[in-house]
């Protein structure tokens, strides 16, 4: 299949996707993006793959759509992702567009995602959220035995965009110290434990970036597979997004092997998309620096409720400690 030119106006199509080794890939395409600041970007775009799980539709009402968001898939186009997003997949596989997500789930978080089908319904949800009328519930699998009873973490969250990481600030601003973060509060309740790990109900009162993750870190019980906030596995974003060999060297793992060095994989790649000899990512499907061992966080959205409405999602498999 030839590499084609596209702009943000081109919708995702079913034939844009390649499923291979448990991942959903996007066929490389020439992409032109026009902006007022940088004028125009163009080139052969290789989107990072995501896990090949379905985006399951839970409820399809006249004004509202709810889906089970798989981990690893971003909600909307951002950064390197455009078609490998919840909105792109829903448009390609179900013809659903335009859509208006009413809350955000981080890319590595799974669970309930509520989407309005029109601006009017989106505005209703927005008003409920801004008025503090929406209750949110998540479940997380954390390290250690979490205390019994409701635990409340009330600590400012300061997000560092360069590092892609939030920090919790505990204390009171005074003449010598100024808290830079935004006020944040989360309630936690232990659901179950096996003596080593716990499943914890998380109820964020505010909605700061990485709030649940950094507040669980504050309790001494971080999410068990959270490489960014688990104290034994902290990853600096400055080591991410590098070339495959550099990323492998920094992590101590083996470098990614290109399709060119794997006959079966190269055969698969060459049969399904054209190769641009000027592209630094070809003949691979994934872009350079992609972490093929990435997994979803053990953090899952299970329930949102507001004035006269409730939407829920089933628990993930990892939430059972039996």
């Amino acid at each position: 299949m030839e590499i084609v030119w596209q702009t943000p106006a081109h919708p995702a199509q079913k034939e844009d996707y390649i499923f291979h080794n448990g991942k959903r890939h996007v066929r490389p395409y020439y992409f032109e993006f026009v902006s007022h600041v940088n004028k125009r970007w163009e080139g052969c775009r290789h989107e990072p793959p995501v896990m090949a799980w379905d985006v399951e539709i839970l409820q399809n009402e006249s004004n509202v759509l709810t889906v089970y968001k798989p981990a690893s898939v971003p909600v909307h186009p951002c950064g390197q992702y455009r078609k490998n997003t919840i909105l792109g997949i829903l448009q390609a596989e179900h013809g659903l567009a335009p859509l208006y997500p009413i809350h955000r789930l981080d890319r590595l978080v799974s669970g309930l995602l509520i989407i309005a089908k029109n601006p009017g319904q989106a505005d209703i949800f927005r008003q409920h959220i801004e008025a503090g009328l929406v209750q949110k519930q998540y479940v997380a699998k954390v390290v250690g035995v979490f205390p019994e009873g409701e635990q409340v973490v009330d600590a400012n969250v300061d997000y560092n965009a360069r590092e892609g990481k939030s920090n919790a600030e505990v204390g009171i601003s005074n003449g010598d110290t100024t808290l830079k973060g935004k006020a944040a509060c989360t309630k936690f309740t232990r659901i179950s434990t096996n003596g080593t790990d716990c499943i914890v109900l998380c109820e964020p009162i505010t909605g700061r970036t990485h709030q649940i993750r950094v507040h669980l870190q504050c309790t001494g019980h971080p999410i068990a597979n959270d490489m960014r906030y688990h104290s034994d596995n902290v990853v600096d974003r400055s080591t991410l997004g590098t070339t495959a060999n550099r990323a492998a060297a920094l992590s101590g793992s083996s470098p990614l092997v290109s399709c060119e060095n794997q006959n079966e994989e190269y055969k698969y790649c060459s049969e399904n998309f054209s190769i641009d000899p000027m592209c630094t990512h070809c003949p691979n499907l994934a872009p350079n620096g992609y972490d093929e061992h990435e997994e979803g966080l053990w953090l899952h959205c299970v329930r949102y409720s507001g004035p006269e409405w409730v939407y829920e999602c089933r628990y993930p498999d990892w939430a059972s400690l039996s």
Side-chain angles (χ1 to χ4, degrees):
M1 179 175 289
E2 294 296 320
I3 303 175
V4 297
W5 277 103
Q6 298 191 3
T7 70
H10 286 81
Q13 305 288 336
K14 280 186 177 181
E15 57 269 21
D16 292 336
Y17 299 100
I18 296 174
F19 294 88
H20 188 55
N21 287 341
K23 300 289 179 68
R24 178 194 291 264
H25 296 263
V26 173
R27 298 181 191 279
Y29 53 94
Y30 292 120
F31 184 69
E32 181 178 38
F33 179 77
V34 179
S35 72
H36 295 293
V37 177
N38 296 315
K39 294 186 179 179
R40 185 174 71 181
W41 305 335
E42 57 185 43
C44 184
R45 170 171 284 198
H46 290 240
E47 292 193 25
V50 299
M51 299 305 296
W53 297 310
D54 290 337
V55 177
E56 179 188 348
I57 294 178
L58 301 174
Q59 292 178 267
N60 192 354
E61 302 173 351
S62 57
N63 293 318
V64 180
L65 177 76
T66 66
V67 302
Y68 188 119
K69 175 194 172 302
S72 85
V73 187
V75 173
H76 50 73
C78 57
Q80 298 182 80
Y81 298 90
R82 192 168 73 89
K83 298 181 180 182
N84 252 350
T85 61
I86 297 297
L87 297 188
I89 293 168
L90 287 173
Q91 183 171 25
E93 297 185 350
H94 300 281
L96 293 168
L99 296 173
Y100 308 87
I102 67 103
H103 63 105
R104 183 174 59 85
L105 292 180
D106 288 342
R107 186 174 63 83
L108 297 181
V109 176
S110 59
L112 175 68
L113 180 66
I114 306 172
I115 304 171
K117 289 185 173 182
N118 54 70
Q121 185 63 50
D123 190 57
I124 291 173
F125 281 126
R126 179 189 60 79
Q127 292 178 38
H128 290 172
I129 292 172
E130 291 181 353
L133 301 176
V134 175
Q135 290 78 48
K136 301 162 281 187
Q137 293 185 347
Y138 294 72
V139 290
K141 183 177 181 179
V142 306
V143 173
V145 179
F146 199 85
E148 292 184 324
E150 183 178 87
Q151 308 293 315
V152 179
V153 175
D154 195 346
N156 285 21
V157 172
D158 179 31
Y159 179 66
N160 186 317
R162 186 185 68 82
E163 295 181 358
K165 183 179 179 182
S166 290
N167 293 300
E169 301 175 322
V170 181
I172 301 174
S173 296
N174 54 43
D176 299 323
T177 305
T178 301
L179 299 182
K180 298 184 296 182
K182 297 179 179 179
C185 180
T186 313
K187 297 178 181 179
F188 299 106
T189 307
R190 190 177 83 188
I191 297 175
S192 62
T193 182
N194 59 7
T196 301
D197 298 316
C198 283
I199 301 301
V200 175
L201 176 66
C202 314
E203 299 176 278
I205 308 304
T206 51
R208 311 306 181 196
T209 302
H210 297 182
Q211 176 178 316
I212 294 175
R213 297 165 67 182
V214 72
H215 276 183
L216 281 170
Q217 182 189 46
C218 282
T219 69
H221 300 276
I223 295 172
N225 70 341
D226 192 341
M227 296 296 291
R228 192 169 298 280
Y229 293 101
H230 195 310
S231 59
D232 295 333
N233 298 295
V234 174
V235 177
D236 187 337
R237 193 172 188 173
S238 63
T239 66
L240 303 177
T242 56
T243 64
N245 288 337
R246 173 168 164 72
L250 290 167
S251 65
S253 61
S254 301
L256 302 178
V257 181
S258 71
C259 297
E260 192 171 17
N261 297 324
Q262 293 180 304
N263 291 334
E264 182 179 352
E265 179 79 3
Y266 181 70
K267 178 181 178 182
Y268 175 86
C269 292
S270 62
E271 286 181 350
N272 285 273
F273 71 94
S274 297
I275 294 172
D276 181 349
M278 301 299 292
C279 176
T280 58
H281 303 296
C282 287
N284 295 322
L285 271 171
N288 295 334
Y290 166 70
D291 180 7
E292 64 176 339
H293 303 296
E294 179 182 73
E295 62 176 326
L297 279 177
W298 287 333
L299 178 62
H300 182 88
C301 181
V302 293
R303 191 175 192 268
Y304 262 62
S305 61
E308 300 183 356
W309 57 267
V310 177
Y311 294 105
E312 296 179 311
C313 179
R314 67 182 180 277
Y315 279 34
D317 292 340
W318 52 254
S320 174
L321 294 179
S322 58

